[in-house]
C-alpha cells in the first residue's frame, strides 16, 4: 500500500472509485477542503485513546450508490466461471501473506489484541481466501438418482445476487473474508460495512480488492456506523445479509429479513459460553484451557468463556490454580511480546464491563479476583528498560488514557434466573460455578442460558465427552481444549440466541446461493415418477 493511496483513500470504495460520499470521487488529501470532513469519524488506538486516522461516515445515499453499483455488476460477474472469479482472490491471498507482520501490527493497534492475535487474525484471513478460491476448482453440485432410467437429475447452485456483509471489530481482517471470499467466488457481488471501531483495517482490505483488478461494482465498501449497516440490511436489492456481531443487532436484522420473501440472513452472534470441568478432568489442561478461553482477546470474543462449571471433587484445587494465574495475567501494550491481554476496545465498553461486574456483586457473587481498575504500575509505560526519561513519561501518560481492564473472577451459587449467568459481558468477566452429581447435571447447568454458541468439556472419560458432544446446546463444541480457536474449514455459528446461520466455510455457501433441482429427459417419450400416468386422454378416446 503506497503512502499516496493511504492519504487518498479514507472514504468509501464504490463502483471501482474512492469517494467521500454522495458520488464525489476522492482526489489527493491536499486537494480536499475542510467541508469534506463534515461527516467524519476517527479510528482510535485502544491502548492510548488517541486517534489513528479520520474516515468518512457513510450515509443512506452512500449505501444506495454502493448497492446500485453492485446490482449493475451482478450479471457480468455471475457469468464468469468459478475459476475466473477466484483468480481475483489469489492476489489478495499472496498480499495477506507477504504483509503478515505489518497487517498484524495494524490489527493490534486498532482493536487492541495482543500481537500474536493480531497476526493470527491475518493468517485466518488468508486461510479463508485460500479455502474459498481453492474451492472454485472442486466439484460443485450433486448427481441424484432418478426413478426413471432415462432421466438425469442433479443439483445446481447459482448466486443469489447482491450480498450485504456487516462485520465486527474484534476480527477486523479475518471475518470480512469469511463473508466476502465465499460470496464472491460463488458469483455474488458485495456491499460491505466494516465495524466503525476498525475502519483502518477496512481501508486496507478495500485497497487490496482495488489492486486485484476486480471488476468495478463487484466489491463495494461503505464505512460508517449502525445506520449504514441498517440501510444495507433493509434494502430490497440485498438478497442475503451476512452478519457477525451482537445478539441485539443480529436479532433485529434476522427479524426484519425473515419477513421479506426470498431474502435470507445468516447471523452469527454472541454467547454466554461455558466450560464443564468434570471430576475426571486433567487439571493442567483444565486451567490452561479456562485461562485461554476467559482472557484471550480480553474476553472480547463471541466464543470467550464467562462460565466455568466445575465438579465439587476438583473445585477447590481448580479455583486456587485458576485464581492464582488470573491475579498475574500480563495486561499490557498489545504490541509487546510479553503481553497476554491488551485493552478493551473503547471507553463505552469499559463501562459495560463495569456494569456486569457490579451486577455480579449485587446478585451475591463472592469476588475472587478484581483487577478491573488496574494499579498505576500495571499500566504500560512504554519504556524498554524502565529508565525514567522525559520521553517515557510522555508515553506513560499516553497509555494512561487507554481503555485498560483486568480480570474479574467470582464464584456464585447456581440459580437459573441470575442475570450475571445469563447476560453476555464480552469482557474478562468469569463466574465459577460448583456442581455435584454426574455429567447430566453439569450439562443441564451448561445449557441453562439463552445463548448457544461455544463450549468445552475437560475430562479423561470418553463417555462424559460424548455425552457433552451430543447434549450440549451449542454450535461449536471442544473436548480438552479452550472453547476458542475456530478453523476456517469448519462451520462457525450457534443455536438459540447465538445465531441462525453459519457465515463461514461450506455452510456460508448455503446462504449465498440458491439450489435448483435440475431434471432432464433423455428419451423421446415422457415417463413420470411415482407411477403418475403420462397418457393424455381426450373426450374422443
Amino acid at each position: 500500500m503506497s503512502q499516496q493511496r493511504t492519504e487518498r483513500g479514507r472514504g468509501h470504495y464504490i463502483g471501482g472509485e474512492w469517494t467521500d460520499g454522495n458520488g464525489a470521487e476522492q482526489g489527493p488529501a491536499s486537494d480536499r477542503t475542510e467541508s469534506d470532513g463534515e461527516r467524519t469519524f476517527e479510528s482510535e488506538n485502544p491502548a492510548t485513546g488517541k486517534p489513528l486516522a479520520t474516515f468518512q461516515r457513510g450515509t443512506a445515499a452512500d449505501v444506495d450508490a454502493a448497492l446500485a453499483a453492485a446490482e449493475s455488476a451482478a450479471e457480468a460477474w455471475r457469468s464468469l466461471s468459478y475459476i475466473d472469479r477466484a483468480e481475483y482472490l489469489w492476489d489478495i491471498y499472496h498480499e495477506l501473506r507477504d504483509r503478515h507482520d505489518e497487517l498484524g501490527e495494524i490489527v493490534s493497534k486498532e482493536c487492541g489484541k495482543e500481537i500474536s492475535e493480531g497476526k493470527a487474525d491475518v493468517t485466518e484471513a488468508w486461510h479463508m481466501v485460500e479455502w474459498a478460491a481453492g474451492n472454485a476448482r472442486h466439484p460443485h453440485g450433486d448427481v441424484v438418482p432418478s426413478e426413471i432410467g432415462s432421466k438425469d437429475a442433479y443439483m445446481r447452485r447459482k448466486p443469489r445476487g447482491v450480498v450485504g456483509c456487516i462485520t465486527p471489530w474484534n476480527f477486523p481482517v479475518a471475518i470480512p473474508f469469511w463473508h466476502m471470499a465465499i460470496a464472491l467466488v460463488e458469483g455474488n457481488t458485495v456491499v460491505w460495512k466494516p465495524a466503525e471501531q476498525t475502519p483502518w483495517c477496512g481501508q486496507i482490505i478495500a485497497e487490496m480488492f482495488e489492486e486485484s483488478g476486480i471488476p468495478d461494482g463487484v466489491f463495494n465498501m461503505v464505512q460508517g456506523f449502525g445506520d449504514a449497516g441498517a440501510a444495507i440490511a433493509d434494502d430490497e436489492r440485498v438478497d442475503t445479509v451476512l452478519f457477525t456481531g451482537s445478539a441485539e443487532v443480529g436479532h433485529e436484522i434476522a427479524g426484519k429479513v425473515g419477513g421479506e420473501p426470498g431474502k435470507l440472513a445468516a447471523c452469527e452472534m454472541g454467547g454466554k459460553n461455558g466450560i464443564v470441568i468434570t471430576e475426571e478432568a486433567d487439571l493442567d489442561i483444565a486451567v490452561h484451557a479456562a485461562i485461554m478461553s476467559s482472557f484471550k482477546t480480553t474476553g472480547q470474543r463471541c466464543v470467550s468463556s464467562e462460565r466455568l462449571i466445575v465438579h465439587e471433587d476438583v473445585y477447590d484445587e481448580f479455583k486456587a490454580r485458576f485464581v492464582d494465574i488470573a491475579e498475574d495475567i500480563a495486561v499490557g501494550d498489545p504490541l509487546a511480546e510479553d503481553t497476554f491481554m491488551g485493552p478493551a476496545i473503547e471507553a463505552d465498553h469499559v463501562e459495560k464491563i463495569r456494569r456486569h461486574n457490579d451486577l455480579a456483586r449485587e446478585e451475591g457473587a463472592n469476588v475472587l479476583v478484581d483487577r478491573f481498575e488496574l494499579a498505576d504500575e500495571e499500566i504500560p509505560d512504554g519504556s524498554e528498560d524502565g529508565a525514567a526519561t522525559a520521553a517515557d513519561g510522555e508515553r506513560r501518560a499516553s497509555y494512561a488514557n487507554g481503555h485498560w481492564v483486568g480480570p474479574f473472577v467470582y464464584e456464585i451459587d447456581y440459580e437459573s434466573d441470575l442475570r450475571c449467568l445469563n447476560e453476555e459481558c464480552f469482557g474478562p468477566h468469569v463466574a465459577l460455578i460448583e456442581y455435584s452429581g454426574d455429567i447430566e447435571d453439569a450439562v443441564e447447568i451448561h445449557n441453562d442460558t439463552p445463548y448457544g454458541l461455544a463450549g468445552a468439556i475437560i475430562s479423561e472419560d470418553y463417555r462424559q465427552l460424548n455425552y457433552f458432544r451430543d447434549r450440549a446446546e451449542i454450535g461449536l463444541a471442544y473436548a480438552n481444549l479452550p472453547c476458542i480457536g475456530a478453523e476456517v474449514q469448519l462451520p462457525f455459528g450457534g443455536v438459540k440466541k447465538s445465531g441462525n446461520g453459519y457465515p463461514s466455510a461450506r455452510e456460508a455457501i448455503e446462504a449465498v446461493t440458491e439450489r435448483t433441482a435440475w431434471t432432464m429427459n433423455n428419451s423421446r417419450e415422457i415417463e413420470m415418477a411415482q407411477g403418475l400416468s403420462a397418457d393424455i386422454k381426450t373426450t374422443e378416446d
Side-chain angles (χ1 to χ4, degrees), residues 365-379:
N366 176 35
V367 178
L368 304 171
V369 179
D370 184 0
R371 294 176 63 197
F372 174 77
E373 294 185 0
L374 296 174
D376 289 344
E377 60 270 18
E378 294 183 278
I379 304 298

Side-chain angles (χ1 to χ4, degrees), residues 507-519:
E507 276 63 26
I509 296 174
E510 299 276 349
V512 300
T513 60
E514 294 172 336
R515 287 180 292 179
T516 299
W518 175 256
T519 306

Side-chain angles (χ1 to χ4, degrees), residues 19 48 76 170 214 227 281 288 297 340 379 393 442-443 469 477 491 497:
T19 172
T48 65
N170 59 339
I214 200 165
D227 54 343
H288 193 166
T297 326
F340 189 85
I379 304 298
V443 172
R469 177 198 66 192
K497 195 176 178 181

Side-chain angles (χ1 to χ4, degrees), residues 82-84 86-87 90 132-140 185:
Y82 277 95
I83 294 166
D84 284 343
E87 283 299 313
W90 284 118
N135 192 52
R137 290 186 180 268
H138 289 182
H140 287 69
V185 170

Side-chain angles (χ1 to χ4, degrees), residues 274-297:
I275 299 179
V276 171
I277 298 159
T278 80
E279 72 280 11
E280 301 294 338
D282 179 326
L283 288 189
D284 289 340
I285 293 176
V287 173
H288 193 166
I291 291 290
M292 291 283 292
S293 299
S294 299
F295 303 128
K296 265 298 179 188
T297 326

Side-chain angles (χ1 to χ4, degrees), residues 61-124:
D62 300 319
V63 171
D64 179 70
L67 289 171
E71 189 176 43
S72 177
E75 183 57 37
W77 180 246
R78 71 180 293 167
S79 297
L80 297 178
S81 71
Y82 277 95
I83 294 166
D84 284 343
R85 292 192 295 256
E87 283 299 313
Y88 292 99
L89 291 176
W90 284 118
D91 285 345
I92 294 174
Y93 165 80
H94 288 294
E95 186 168 3
L96 287 166
R97 295 198 66 159
D98 293 344
R99 298 173 63 189
H100 182 212
D101 290 347
E102 172 204 349
L103 298 181
E105 184 172 315
I106 290 171
V107 170
S108 291
K109 283 181 178 179
E110 193 169 44
C111 79
K113 295 199 290 191
E114 58 89 5
I115 188 63
S116 79
E117 293 187 89
K119 292 178 180 179
D121 198 305
V122 179
T123 302
E124 188 171 339

Side-chain angles (χ1 to χ4, degrees), residues 48-292:
T48 65
K50 291 185 175 181
L52 295 166
T54 301
F55 297 85
Q56 297 294 318
R57 177 170 179 167
T59 66
D62 300 319
V63 171
D64 179 70
L67 289 171
E71 189 176 43
S72 177
E75 183 57 37
W77 180 246
R78 71 180 293 167
S79 297
L80 297 178
S81 71
Y82 277 95
I83 294 166
D84 284 343
R85 292 192 295 256
E87 283 299 313
Y88 292 99
L89 291 176
W90 284 118
D91 285 345
I92 294 174
Y93 165 80
H94 288 294
E95 186 168 3
L96 287 166
R97 295 198 66 159
D98 293 344
R99 298 173 63 189
H100 182 212
D101 290 347
E102 172 204 349
L103 298 181
E105 184 172 315
I106 290 171
V107 170
S108 291
K109 283 181 178 179
E110 193 169 44
C111 79
K113 295 199 290 191
E114 58 89 5
I115 188 63
S116 79
E117 293 187 89
K119 292 178 180 179
D121 198 305
V122 179
T123 302
E124 188 171 339
W126 87 55
H127 284 173
M128 191 70 253
V129 173
E130 180 183 43
W131 189 95
N135 192 52
R137 290 186 180 268
H138 289 182
H140 287 69
D142 302 289
V143 176
V144 183
S146 172
E147 290 183 27
I148 310 302
S150 60
K151 289 181 181 177
D152 290 331
Y154 48 94
M155 302 288 291
R156 286 182 58 85
R157 289 193 175 275
K158 48 191 178 182
R160 289 184 56 79
V162 177
V163 174
C165 299
I166 303 169
T167 58
W169 54 263
N170 59 339
F171 286 84
V173 178
I175 291 180
F177 283 109
W178 285 12
H179 292 197
M180 296 190 296
I182 293 168
L184 290 167
V185 170
E186 290 296 323
N188 302 276
T189 56
V190 162
V191 176
W192 171 46
K193 190 200 85 69
E196 61 267 25
Q197 295 89 346
T198 50
W200 187 9
C201 292
Q203 163 86 23
I204 292 171
I205 291 171
E207 290 170 356
M208 289 182 178
F209 274 105
E210 180 188 27
E211 291 166 359
S212 76
I214 200 165
D216 295 349
V218 171
F219 163 83
N220 305 273
M221 179 195 69
V222 178
Q223 298 274 21
F225 288 72
D227 54 343
I232 293 171
D234 294 346
D235 198 283
E236 62 182 8
R237 290 168 289 185
V238 174
D239 298 286
T240 292
V241 179
L242 299 180
F243 171 83
T244 301
S246 71
E248 292 74 18
V249 175
H251 293 151
E252 183 177 355
I253 290 172
K256 287 182 178 179
V257 171
E260 299 181 39
K263 190 170 179 176
L264 294 178
C267 299
E268 187 277 301
M269 297 172 275
K272 191 69 174 177
N273 309 297
I275 299 179
V276 171
I277 298 159
T278 80
E279 72 280 11
E280 301 294 338
D282 179 326
L283 288 189
D284 289 340
I285 293 176
V287 173
H288 193 166
I291 291 290
M292 291 283 292

